[in-house]
Amino acid sequence: FLYLLICVLQQPSLAIQAPIINIDNPCQGICEYNKENYCIGCKRYINEIFNWYDYTDEQVAAINEELKTRKVEGYFFDEV
């Protein structure tokens, strides 16, 4: 293990890079879909969820902004 650590420190390109985590992910961990395929936890359409990590920062920001006013039937956090 020590030998591997020394090699990585000397050759940073050998280091295993952690995946980039999108900190702007609106997921609430509820992950249930209504009949229109919108998540009732985060209000994203199913395709937005599947493609989330392929979006640019600008696309993520635009979706997050739109989610603030998006109406989703059965939204978990709507007041009853």
Side-chain angles (χ1 to χ4, degrees), residues 1-79:
F1 175 76
L2 184 58
Y3 174 76
L4 178 61
L5 179 61
I6 292 169
C7 288
V8 168
L9 291 174
Q10 291 175 346
Q11 299 272 334
S13 62
L14 296 177
I16 299 171
Q17 297 198 2
I20 297 173
I21 298 173
N22 187 333
I23 60 171
D24 293 330
N25 191 326
C27 180
Q28 300 296 312
I30 295 168
C31 306
E32 293 181 28
Y33 302 93
N34 66 15
K35 62 185 174 187
E36 287 111 19
N37 288 322
Y38 284 95
C39 177
I40 64 166
C42 67
K43 301 194 280 186
R44 290 179 294 171
Y45 188 66
I46 197 165
N47 289 347
E48 292 171 330
I49 294 168
F50 290 146
N51 297 322
W52 193 255
Y53 292 103
D54 295 328
Y55 291 147
T56 65
D57 290 343
E58 291 79 14
Q59 289 171 312
V60 166
I63 293 169
N64 279 331
E65 187 61 32
E66 199 264 329
L67 289 176
K68 293 176 183 177
T69 58
R70 182 180 285 177
K71 302 294 182 200
V72 171
E73 183 180 335
Y75 180 54
F76 185 83
F77 297 101
D78 275 346
E79 293 182 20

